[in-house]
Amino acid sequence: MAGTQINRLSGKGLVDREKTAHFQFDGEAFSGHPGDTLASALLANGVRLVGRSFKYHRPRGILTAGSEEPNALVELRNGARREPNTRATTIELYDGLDATSQNRWPSLRLDVLSVNQLATPIFGAGFYYKTFMWPAAFWEKLYEPMIRRAAGLGYPSKLTDPDHYEKSNAFCDVLVIGSGAAGLSAALAAAKAGARVILCEEDFELGGRLLAESDEIDGKPAQEWARAAAAELESLPDCRIMRRTTVFGAYDGGVYGAVERVSDHLPVPPEHAPRQRLWRIVAKQSVLCAGGIERPILFGNNDRPGVMLAGAVRTYVNRFGVAPGRTAVVFADNHDALRTATDLAAAGVAVRAIVDPRPQASAAAEQVAGEAGALYIRGGIENVRGAHGIKSVRVKDAQGGSKEFDCDLLAMSGGWNPALNLTTHLGGKPAWDSALSCLVPGEDLPPGMQVAGAAAGQFSLQACLASGEAAGAEAAKHCGFSPSALRRPAPAQDRAPATPVWYVENSRGKAFVDFQNDVAVSDVKLAAREGFRVPDHVKRYTTLGMATDQGKTSNLNGAAILAEATGRYLGAVGSTTFRPPYTPVSIGALAGHHRGKDFRPTRLAPSHRWAEEQGAVFVEVGAWMRALMYPRPGEAAQETVNREVSNTRTNVGVCDVSTLGKIDVQGPDAGELLNRVYINAFAKLPVGKARYGLMLREDGFAMDDGTTARLADDHFYMTTTTANAVKVSQHLEFCQQVLWPELDVQTVSATEQWAQYAVAGPKARKVIEALLDAGQDISNEAFPYMACGKFTVCGGTPARIFRLSFSGELAYEIGVPARYGDVLIRAIMKAGAEHGIAPYGTEALGVMRIEKGHAAGPELNGQTTAHDLGLGKMASTKKDFIGRFMGEREALNEAGRAAMVGLKPLNPKTRIASGSHLVKRDAQATGANDEGYVTSMAYSPELETFIALALLSNGPARMGEVVKVCDPLRGNETLAEVCSAHFVDPEGERLRV
Amino acid sequence: MTIMRYSLASLITNALTGNRNWKPVWREPEPKSSYDVVIVGGGGHGLSTAHYLAKEHGITNVAVIEKSYIGSGNVGRNTTIVRSNYLLPGNEPFYEWSMKLWEGLEQDINYNAMVSQRGVLNVFHSDGQRDAFVRRGNAMRFYGADAELLDKEQVRALVPFVDFDNARFPVRGGLFQPRGGTVRHDAVAWGYARSADSRGVDIIQNCAATGFRIENGRIVGVETEKGFIGAKKVALCVAGSSSRVAQMAGLRLPIEAHVLQAFVTEGIKPLLDTVITFGAGHFYCSQSDKGGLVFGGDIDGYNTYAQRGNLPVVEDVAEGGMALIPAIGRLRILRSWGGLLDMSMDGSPIIDKTPVDGLYFNGGWCYGGFKATPASGWCYAHLIATGEPHPYAAAYRFDRFGSGRVIDEKGMGAQPNLH
Amino acid sequence: MRINCPYCGARCLEEFTYRGDATVKRPESIDESARDAWVDYVYLRDNPAGLHKELWHHGAGCHSWLEVTRNTVTHEIVAVELAAKGR
């Protein structure tokens, strides 16, 4: 198989030639070596055509050797693990790799939609906005589905991602981003000074461009130096090296987001290992050494496979030992790219010509050309031939002559741009460097960040080494360390002025700026003509820079064309904003393990296991799982609920109420605090008594309700609704710490500390008595309705008992420390067996509270007032309390407001659906007639009718009126009579027996 | 003022002439010394206000001044969703009117804004959430909007890849508004700008307001980076920066500035045909015509004027996405960004006069600004032209905060970051 | 963003809950004459671009309410104090 690697160069590169990795591309078998990327392996095998472009479906090859790649996107893996749009240039080759080209049908070579190219004159920038409007209905039916099918790139898997993801936190003194010459130097300087260093490298090898160049450092090959530097860093105790880790974003407070591709270089993740891991790195200082990104020079048909950035060509030759072509032309406006000619020639690739578009001839270039056996031509590329891979290029020289060169590789370079993206994530703006003709990091860097090497516009090797070392030392110094003296002086003159050439004028065919999104030079010019004159407008109008590469190789060329088209200085045109992530990050990594059942924590009540044993059906209530009902075999849901309700009303039932919020309020001013948070008075509540309370928000609307018991003079025990437990706890802390810190009181949530059960029904007392240790009295006289106290049960277990009732029956709530909850529920069931006890769930609880007209979540929805809930009279007029002043505003108390009433259907068997709206009996269901809505409904087994609670305009004054209950959503209308919300035992006699 | 009408014929003609004859979509005029109306803010709402002032009220001596380029604020930063699935009588008629304007927008302005009525689905997980959606769906029906209650199987038919089997909050059904959907957001700004410009409105970019000239309680003009511009009426339309701008006129607002992050993935072949909202997970998502999944979640939750957010919300949104659609784990986010929201004290907007004669205010849009763009402009233009609030926006007054007639859809009270 | 809690040290954002402007003061009077002060307190905010004193709750830590002085343009935090202090 290795024999197919026709472009593998002997004796070059860092791949492991001892081993072979077999892989497939579009179903064809190939081989490469560990250390290859998919791109280098494809090139080694002579594969140049790897994808199709977004809009015109033009054949595309490999442009770069890094994460900036716009063209070579493939679908990696299959089935549930399929990853569309994966850059072949960053895919680490592994044995068994399977990749497929994308955005083509039926095949890569024969793509039907490449017919779009014929219509390119019409498909110019912004053409969508000018057409597809006639007739209007055709947009959704015809045009848009057509566009959607043609657009997009790879196919997503529609199956659940089978892999795992993790999140981790890391803390360090100095975070170094990038491990090229600058990054290694920075990490060494900081770590040797004693700083805790984390070094992140997106590649699987440390070294950055050092791996790609034939440079020397300190007299040794640069690759050797990089290896030695890495080894030294590994040996230092407080330096952590993270390969395959991209720092994708800078956030406030020195927080950096990074993603580590833990297992992407393997066919599947090892057992118990994640595919990727999100790192939240907190760094006191950071040094950005992300390097540079080469930019192209644009010319007609510059997107043909075989046209490649010059630096990438060197990467393939030097790092991977691959010749991306056998006959090359180099087209560059800078000195750096000449090395490509030299390296190609040294590797045995014929270099036909060095084409130099600059106005002045370059003696250095001429010399390199001579050494490489190439012609030196001042001029530009006029056209490229060869649809699926270039066959020749036509060069137009400065004198107007034109010459065709047969070649299969065109290495181009328009200079380099600093990869400064992270410097702008916190709002900083890059600055224009007119000498370098590129954007460089501006003044307003993220706090604690320094930039070194090419990312700072320090492009030469010496400058990278020196600036990296200096920045690493400086960062360590900021963290309180004393770095030793710098070893590498900054080079005296390193800012070779650039003479950038952005595109070749009058070349033939489309000259692409943004390769992936098929934005051509002509599109940018058209946008400018139509008035889109700032880079952001051009971007949005033409889609330049919006592709998966976010314009890494295209933004500045686009800005340059715009500058020219609008007659402005390029440095004044500005740029679009770089945003996180630096390179695309998988949603899986950002989500970590928070998915499926583990999406959010699940809170289980102390009786949960017991309830499971009883066959309970559970329901999510916030984070809690609560027992909805306890069905018996063969029972329909309504039968279960009816049984649970009836049994509670005739015998005794038990319900786990541990999920209610419980807050301990202690201190001499505890009563005063409660006086200020509840609308009714609590300060004078006697010890041993509980009271129902309603609290408002400061805007006067109801916030929460519950009972609060006084266990001692300076000790209250508050309960809240399950949903509002955290909110109320935080509210009390706000009142106590911010509003009235002078009050001597402390509050603490005790929700998790107490298991609590409601034992309700005519026989409830007998059950509780059976649990009580001897000598304690809960007779009606000793322990009347709303009494509370501390007891011991089941042989010395401390318990708090409250004679409270939500169900409307004789009832007790009994609380024990949470660890005894499971034991207690079993003891209650045992003690209640002879009295016919049965557990009831939240559904039955809901029925009973509706029968009693108690407000709950659907009524306490944040939009209702005390008046609406019929609780207005509870409010004390003798004290200030939270929400009093604003709650007294007329609009919160006027009669026309929708206030709580009961509803009974005229036909008792007709269900009144919650969420139905109410209108007058003869009115139509329109907005103007809307008078309120149904909040809660239930079937009352006791009354043998459906009943409901509703908020009805002026409701309390409309008792006996028949209203229409409208549910147009489901096409139902019915009539119901307005009645008191207290359906069962309105006088509360059952509570007091 | 001439306008080049867009038609199939114009496209083909221009293609044949190398697309050299397309004219600027709008002029770049210097400001005149005074106008009947100066609209401060060249975003979606400001430009639609200008369009309707000119078209519906014949008021064309109008300038829109914009501190940056038009459409540089929230109209170009949102997740492009349009819907009218509101609950309260103060809101639903307004948003339903907006929906109707969206439906006729492209013919109205001769610009394809890609109004795509692909449906908006809100999933629910419990009986309580279902009942809340039933209340909402019925309110929508009462006001003439469309709404359908879907059961689990109907939801599955729409979005088969949603996690129905292993979810922490299993999907039990949804409220669906088929007429809801998405609109190409930038095109809304450009289309309104082009239409307003063609009717004589001056759109003046790179012209920040730096102060207001008020004489005897009446506005007489705006100080700008390009000098003083006289105006009989000045209309603020700068949601996200409302407090900063209003402060120059001495106004203190019931508004906090917050950032909402949004995200887009790499383009993929069609996966998601509707807009889907997952309330329990703070996640909403659609797929753009280009193929990217466009999604967002909660605001970051602290006052900010930086158009960027932090990592916890990024993670929270991704978690919501994975919980709802576990197939998207291997799709990659290619860009995140932030837009500044006017989070008002009750979660609803304000379109009203101010205590300064001739100074009008439009803001407080919270999450709802983009979908409101047409109706906001329509009602604001009505207010500016007639001096009377438009009936659809009659509840959007400042005085509701004093009176207590707040429009609090979520029931969260005066805590802006919870709306 | 990280907040340096006086009790717990520097902690990441997700441990805290935000409330808002720390400078608004609850009126002491509940007379009708205090109406404007109440409307101000409950509904109106300076919402400055720049330094902002604001309340955060350390719910995943010590449960302190903190008064944080933070720049709303840069997110730089310049001071953190216990809210109970000095009230």
Side-chain angles (χ1 to χ4, degrees):
Chain A
M1 292 291 283
T4 63
Q5 297 183 43
I6 52 170
N7 285 334
R8 190 69 75 177
L9 298 165
S10 57
K12 275 199 160 294
L14 307 172
V15 295
D16 182 358
R17 292 177 193 241
E18 302 298 311
K19 297 188 185 130
T20 299
H22 301 280
F23 69 101
Q24 284 199 11
F25 178 65
D26 275 348
E28 203 177 329
F30 297 99
S31 67
H33 299 293
D36 264 326
T37 62
L38 175 60
S40 69
L42 284 170
L43 289 169
N45 285 276
V47 176
R48 292 193 292 169
L49 171 63
V50 295
R52 289 273 173 173
S53 69
F54 180 77
K55 187 156 114 184
Y56 300 131
H57 289 247
R58 285 171 67 104
R60 292 286 162 82
I62 294 162
L63 181 72
T64 75
S67 60
E68 67 271 34
E69 175 64 32
N71 279 343
L73 308 183
V74 299
E75 286 170 12
L76 182 63
R77 299 186 164 92
N78 297 308
R81 288 195 168 89
R82 181 164 61 207
E83 294 154 35
N85 309 332
T86 307
R87 296 175 298 274
T89 51
T90 61
I91 297 169
E92 198 173 336
L93 192 68
Y94 56 85
D95 196 50
L97 183 148
D98 190 355
T100 314
S101 62
Q102 53 185 38
N103 208 35
R104 84 290 187 273
W105 185 86
S107 75
L108 185 54
R109 291 200 156 264
L110 177 73
D111 178 10
V112 167
L113 277 177
S114 60
V115 70
N116 283 0
Q117 291 176 61
L118 299 177
T120 48
I122 293 181
F123 285 5
F127 84 99
Y128 304 94
Y129 306 120
K130 299 168 185 164
T131 185
F132 299 131
M133 287 180 276
W134 323 276
F138 274 35
W139 173 251
E140 281 97 345
K141 291 202 173 63
L142 178 66
Y143 302 132
E144 193 179 38
M146 200 170 71
I147 292 169
R148 286 172 82 88
R149 268 198 300 278
L153 291 163
Y155 283 93
S157 159
K158 295 183 180 179
L159 305 171
T160 294
D161 186 348
D163 290 340
H164 295 278
Y165 299 86
E166 280 182 6
K167 298 187 188 187
S168 290
N169 296 292
F171 299 81
C172 63
D173 294 316
V174 181
L175 169 66
V176 179
I177 302 161
S179 73
L184 289 171
S185 300
L188 277 171
K192 286 203 281 195
R196 281 191 306 162
V197 172
I198 293 177
L199 172 64
C200 292
E201 168 55 56
E202 64 173 351
D203 205 317
F204 52 91
E205 294 258 20
L206 301 187
R209 286 299 300 170
L210 297 179
L211 304 175
E213 307 288 8
S214 44
D215 283 324
E216 286 197 348
I217 300 173
D218 301 340
K220 345 180 241 211
Q223 295 156 0
E224 239 173 72
W225 181 86
R227 249 195 311 278
E232 186 174 2
L233 286 170
E234 302 266 18
S235 75
L236 293 168
D238 273 341
C239 181
R240 171 176 206 152
I241 295 176
M242 298 173 67
R243 292 176 179 81
R244 304 185 176 99
T245 303
T246 303
V247 178
F248 62 79
Y251 297 92
D252 289 311
V255 178
Y256 293 83
V259 65
E260 179 186 6
R261 289 169 293 277
V262 181
S263 306
D264 278 354
H265 59 297
L266 304 169
V268 293
E271 206 182 352
H272 307 306
R275 173 183 170 227
Q276 297 180 347
R277 185 181 286 128
L278 174 74
W279 286 92
R280 294 172 284 212
I281 303 173
V282 179
K284 289 180 190 150
Q285 293 279 309
S286 68
V287 186
L288 180 68
C289 306
I293 294 171
E294 199 165 25
R295 59 198 188 206
I297 303 176
L298 315 179
F299 48 85
N301 294 317
N302 59 338
D303 61 327
R304 296 305 191 198
V307 178
M308 191 180 280
L309 287 169
V313 171
R314 298 201 295 282
T315 306
Y316 289 113
V317 170
N318 295 322
R319 174 174 173 185
F320 297 108
V322 170
R326 283 294 166 188
T327 314
V329 168
V330 176
F331 177 42
D333 65 0
N334 61 80
H335 195 79
D336 179 75
L338 299 176
R339 295 199 278 170
T340 305
T342 306
D343 290 356
L344 280 172
V349 173
V351 182
R352 294 270 186 249
I354 294 178
V355 182
D356 185 342
R358 289 174 289 188
Q360 307 295 325
S362 156
E366 201 160 359
Q367 187 188 338
V368 170
E371 288 163 6
L375 287 171
Y376 175 71
I377 304 173
R378 277 212 317 106
I381 306 295
E382 190 182 14
N383 200 355
V384 175
R385 276 201 324 108
H388 291 174
I390 63 172
K391 294 180 176 143
S392 68
V393 298
R394 176 161 286 277
V395 176
K396 193 173 192 177
D397 65 34
Q399 289 72 43
S402 179
K403 187 169 163 53
E404 188 99 4
F405 288 91
D406 288 344
C407 63
D408 58 0
L409 174 66
L410 177 60
M412 63 174 169
S413 173
W416 290 76
N417 290 327
L420 52 76
N421 304 45
L422 264 70
T423 66
T424 67
H425 282 182
L426 298 190
K429 293 259 181 291
W432 178 251
D433 187 315
S434 55
L436 296 173
S437 282
C438 63
L439 292 167
V440 295
E443 298 288 312
D444 41 3
L445 298 175
M449 180 185 278
Q450 303 185 60
V451 194
Q458 306 275 351
F459 290 121
S460 78
L461 177 59
Q462 290 313 313
C464 285
L465 293 167
S467 65
E469 186 192 23
E474 187 68 17
K477 206 188 286 178
H478 280 297
C479 298
F481 299 96
S482 308
S484 43
L486 298 182
R487 284 179 52 235
R488 296 184 191 276
Q493 170 56 292
D494 187 54
R495 296 163 63 79
T499 315
V501 175
W502 305 102
Y503 70 102
V504 178
E505 288 198 49
N506 301 320
S507 65
R508 302 270 179 84
K510 283 250 168 204
F512 289 94
V513 192
D514 183 320
F515 291 85
Q516 194 181 124
N517 274 353
D518 283 333
V519 180
V521 174
S522 55
D523 292 317
V524 178
K525 290 183 173 177
L526 172 59
R529 246 190 328 277
E530 293 194 84
F532 297 91
R533 292 165 183 274
V534 291
D536 250 295
H537 266 168
V538 172
K539 168 185 166 178
R540 290 157 183 271
Y541 194 60
T542 65
T543 73
L544 191 159
M546 289 172 76
T548 63
D549 61 309
Q550 289 286 285
K552 289 189 176 67
T553 56
S554 61
N555 283 338
L556 194 62
N557 288 67
I561 297 159
L562 176 66
E564 186 197 279
T566 55
R568 284 176 298 173
Y569 168 55
L570 174 53
V573 164
S575 66
T576 55
T577 310
F578 302 114
R579 298 275 190 182
Y582 174 63
T583 54
V585 174
S586 73
I587 295 172
L590 292 167
H593 63 272
H594 295 272
R595 53 186 284 206
K597 297 276 188 215
D598 296 331
F599 168 51
R600 289 291 177 257
T602 304
R603 299 177 80 180
L604 302 179
S607 66
H608 188 81
R609 184 163 299 169
W610 169 85
E612 279 179 337
E613 290 165 17
Q614 312 308 309
V617 174
F618 293 93
V619 60
E620 299 92 17
V621 180
W624 291 100
M625 297 300 286
R626 292 192 74 179
L628 181 70
M629 58 180 81
Y630 298 82
R632 289 180 179 167
E635 249 177 12
Q638 188 64 54
E639 289 167 358
T640 303
V641 177
N642 289 351
R643 173 181 55 74
E644 290 178 8
V645 170
S646 300
N647 187 65
T648 303
R649 294 230 184 274
T650 52
N651 291 315
V652 59
V654 59
C655 181
D656 190 338
V657 294
S658 304
T659 63
L660 291 180
K662 301 184 277 293
I663 301 170
D664 235 38
V665 184
Q666 295 194 39
D669 291 326
E672 178 59 26
L673 178 70
L674 295 174
N675 246 9
R676 297 185 192 187
V677 297
Y678 279 125
I679 70 171
N680 44 334
F682 274 80
K684 291 181 183 155
L685 179 70
V687 173
K689 285 285 181 191
R691 181 171 287 168
Y692 172 80
L694 177 70
M695 57 178 79
L696 308 181
R697 298 187 307 240
E698 196 69 279
D699 68 353
F701 290 83
M703 176 165 137
D704 197 55
D705 70 347
T707 53
T708 289
R710 190 165 207 166
L711 297 172
D713 223 27
D714 59 353
H715 184 187
F716 290 79
Y717 180 74
M718 174 188 281
T719 61
T720 75
T721 61
T722 300
N724 287 330
V726 172
K727 191 174 175 177
V728 172
S729 166
Q730 197 182 62
H731 175 63
L732 292 185
E733 284 165 352
F734 173 78
C735 292
Q736 179 251 328
Q737 294 177 37
V738 182
L739 293 185
W740 305 300
E742 70 277 9
L743 294 184
D744 189 357
V745 56
Q746 295 292 330
T747 65
V748 67
S749 167
T751 305
E752 305 265 337
Q753 279 65 39
W754 291 89
Q756 202 151 311
Y757 302 94
V759 179
K763 299 175 185 168
R765 185 176 295 124
K766 294 196 175 97
V767 178
I768 300 293
E769 278 172 347
L771 298 170
L772 281 179
D773 293 341
Q776 302 175 97
D777 184 3
I778 56 158
S779 66
N780 197 32
E781 296 68 37
F783 199 71
Y785 181 56
M786 296 308 269
C788 69
K790 295 182 180 178
F791 296 84
T792 63
V793 296
C794 305
T797 302
R800 291 172 178 179
I801 299 180
F802 311 87
R803 192 166 158 195
L804 307 172
S805 178
F806 199 48
S807 59
E809 298 300 324
L810 166 68
Y812 299 84
E813 286 188 14
I814 174 166
V816 293
R819 63 186 179 280
Y820 300 123
D822 181 73
V823 175
L824 183 65
I825 185 69
R826 292 172 199 276
I828 291 170
M829 289 302 291
K830 199 170 160 195
E834 61 177 293
H835 306 294
I837 196 167
Y840 61 98
T842 55
E843 194 69 20
L845 182 71
V847 171
M848 290 188 278
R849 72 99 189 164
I850 293 168
E851 287 179 328
K852 288 295 293 177
H854 292 313
E859 292 79 31
L860 280 163
N861 62 7
Q863 298 163 330
T864 48
T865 66
H867 161 274
D868 304 343
L869 300 171
L871 302 172
K873 294 204 178 76
M874 257 172 66
S876 164
T877 54
K878 299 198 181 100
K879 55 162 190 164
D880 183 17
F881 54 84
I882 297 278
R884 171 168 175 179
F885 187 93
M886 298 305 262
E888 285 175 357
R889 289 177 290 173
E890 192 193 320
L892 275 65
N893 299 282
E894 60 199 3
R897 284 188 67 89
M900 198 167 99
V901 293
L903 290 179
K904 274 188 193 171
L906 297 191
N907 176 351
K909 294 200 173 104
T910 306
R911 185 180 285 267
I912 300 178
S914 294
S916 301
H917 285 235
L918 306 174
V919 298
K920 291 198 172 67
R921 180 177 192 151
D922 302 319
Q924 298 295 310
T926 66
N929 296 332
D930 196 357
E931 295 201 305
Y933 70 101
V934 178
T935 55
S936 309
M937 65 78 73
Y939 178 76
S940 168
E942 181 161 338
L943 304 177
E944 296 184 330
T945 176
F946 279 98
I947 57 172
L949 299 178
L951 290 164
L952 175 66
S953 175
N954 205 15
R958 295 168 69 172
M959 294 298 149
E961 183 182 331
V962 173
V963 294
K964 188 151 75 180
V965 182
C966 306
D967 186 8
L969 193 60
R970 289 174 290 196
N972 296 325
E973 278 190 1
T974 187
L975 296 175
E977 184 188 327
V978 180
C979 61
S980 159
H982 307 292
F983 293 96
V984 166
D985 187 26
E987 303 305 321
E989 288 163 7
R990 299 182 194 173
L991 302 167
R992 296 183 169 79
V993 292
Chain B
M1 251 55 68
T2 58
I3 183 166
M4 181 184 286
R5 198 166 167 77
Y6 292 153
S7 68
L8 206 53
S10 73
L11 262 186
I12 292 169
T13 313
N14 274 287
L16 293 174
T17 53
N19 285 315
R20 284 191 192 85
N21 297 320
W22 291 111
K23 296 284 189 302
V25 182
W26 48 77
R27 298 163 296 128
E28 291 191 9
E30 286 303 308
K32 296 190 279 191
S33 61
S34 75
Y35 292 89
D36 290 341
V37 180
V38 171
I39 296 168
V40 181
H45 291 224
L47 294 166
S48 78
T49 302
H51 164 79
Y52 293 117
L53 267 179
K55 182 154 185 273
E56 301 299 323
H57 301 279
I59 300 173
T60 58
N61 186 21
V62 175
V64 178
I65 63 170
E66 164 56 47
K67 77 170 173 184
S68 178
Y69 57 92
I70 59 167
S72 54
N74 293 330
V75 72
R77 291 169 189 269
N78 58 78
T79 45
T80 80
I81 298 166
V82 299
R83 54 182 170 87
S84 61
N85 54 356
Y86 281 73
L87 178 67
L88 299 176
N91 277 329
E92 182 57 20
F94 173 87
Y95 282 99
E96 176 53 21
W97 177 237
S98 209
M99 201 65 234
K100 290 202 170 73
L101 289 172
W102 284 123
E103 288 172 324
L105 179 74
E106 288 149 337
Q107 276 63 35
D108 186 25
I109 61 176
N110 180 232
Y111 203 83
N112 185 0
M114 304 180 204
V115 176
S116 175
Q117 294 182 283
R118 49 190 51 259
V120 172
L121 173 68
N122 287 262
V123 295
F124 60 77
H125 317 278
S126 67
D127 290 353
Q129 288 168 2
R130 179 202 58 211
D131 292 348
F133 277 142
V134 170
R135 177 190 172 197
R136 178 179 299 265
N138 279 324
M140 293 163 67
R141 291 292 193 99
F142 266 55
Y143 286 98
D146 59 321
E148 295 171 13
L149 192 71
L150 307 186
D151 63 19
K152 182 174 162 180
E153 291 313 311
Q154 290 169 307
V155 172
R156 197 194 294 271
L158 273 180
V159 282
F161 36 79
V162 156
D163 189 352
F164 289 94
D165 306 318
N166 186 42
R168 173 71 180 81
F169 300 105
V171 173
R172 300 217 161 92
L175 183 67
F176 188 53
Q177 184 180 26
R179 285 164 65 243
T182 57
V183 180
R184 172 80 182 94
H185 57 1
D186 291 318
V188 174
W190 302 335
Y192 274 126
R194 176 169 168 270
S195 172
D197 172 88
S198 75
R199 292 179 160 86
V201 172
D202 284 355
I203 294 167
I204 302 162
Q205 306 185 75
N206 300 307
C207 181
T210 55
F212 298 102
R213 201 175 284 179
I214 298 165
E215 291 173 3
N216 302 320
R218 178 163 188 91
I219 194 100
V220 295
V222 188
E223 306 285 355
T224 79
E225 289 176 326
K226 297 189 175 182
F228 176 75
I229 304 175
K232 295 188 184 123
K233 295 174 179 175
V234 172
L236 305 186
C237 214
V238 291
S241 298
S242 287
S243 296
R244 279 200 277 195
V245 175
Q247 188 258 336
M248 296 191 287
L251 304 177
R252 201 158 163 258
L253 302 176
I255 284 171
E256 288 179 0
H258 285 262
V259 67
L260 176 62
Q261 299 193 61
F263 308 86
V264 62
T265 68
E266 298 175 346
I268 48 168
K269 292 294 179 194
L271 172 74
L272 180 60
D273 204 37
T274 63
V275 180
I276 186 166
T277 299
F278 173 42
H282 312 300
F283 175 80
Y284 49 88
C285 185
S286 66
Q287 186 170 15
S288 77
D289 284 346
K290 280 190 70 206
L293 297 182
V294 180
F295 58 95
D298 268 353
I299 54 175
D300 269 40
Y302 42 80
N303 283 51
T304 177
Y305 285 95
Q307 284 171 322
R308 58 183 180 78
N310 274 292
L311 206 45
V313 166
V314 180
E315 295 177 41
D316 188 65
V317 172
E319 290 164 9
M322 278 299 276
L324 184 68
I325 313 176
I328 62 175
R330 307 177 96 84
L331 302 183
R332 289 175 287 251
I333 293 173
L334 64 80
R335 189 173 178 87
S336 64
W337 64 96
L340 296 186
L341 308 184
D342 271 9
M343 293 304 294
S344 73
M345 283 286 168
D346 63 355
S348 293
I350 298 158
I351 301 177
D352 202 358
K353 300 176 190 176
T354 71
V356 179
D357 273 354
L359 181 66
Y360 299 83
F361 180 82
N362 174 321
W365 289 99
C366 303
Y367 290 74
F370 180 65
K371 66 188 74 67
T373 306
S376 169
W378 182 279
C379 295
Y380 201 26
H382 182 275
L383 173 72
I384 296 162
T386 67
E388 294 300 322
H390 190 280
Y392 289 139
Y396 295 157
R397 313 287 294 276
F398 279 115
D399 64 9
R400 70 178 189 265
F401 297 101
S403 71
R405 288 188 176 80
V406 290
I407 315 165
D408 188 349
E409 290 262 332
K410 282 195 181 170
M412 288 298 175
Q415 182 63 37
N417 62 351
L418 298 182
H419 288 298
Chain C
M1 206 137 70
R2 284 162 62 79
I3 295 173
N4 195 5
C5 173
Y7 286 132
C8 309
R11 300 296 186 90
C12 280
L13 200 55
E14 51 267 48
E15 294 191 8
F16 300 86
T17 317
Y18 183 75
R19 182 179 174 102
D21 193 336
T23 64
V24 293
K25 201 165 164 3
R26 189 173 190 271
E28 286 178 6
S29 166
I30 51 173
D31 286 348
E32 185 53 31
S33 61
R35 174 170 287 269
D36 285 353
W38 276 103
V39 172
D40 252 46
Y41 170 67
V42 175
Y43 292 117
L44 298 185
R45 300 290 179 264
D46 287 341
N47 191 21
L51 288 184
H52 187 233
K53 280 187 194 246
E54 58 198 26
L55 292 168
W56 291 80
H57 184 244
H58 197 186
C62 58
H63 281 232
S64 292
W65 278 93
L66 306 177
E67 184 180 294
V68 175
T69 309
R70 187 179 58 93
N71 188 316
T72 59
V73 177
T74 64
H75 296 173
E76 185 194 10
I77 292 171
V78 298
V80 182
E81 286 188 277
L82 294 176
K85 210 169 116 184
R87 277 175 199 274

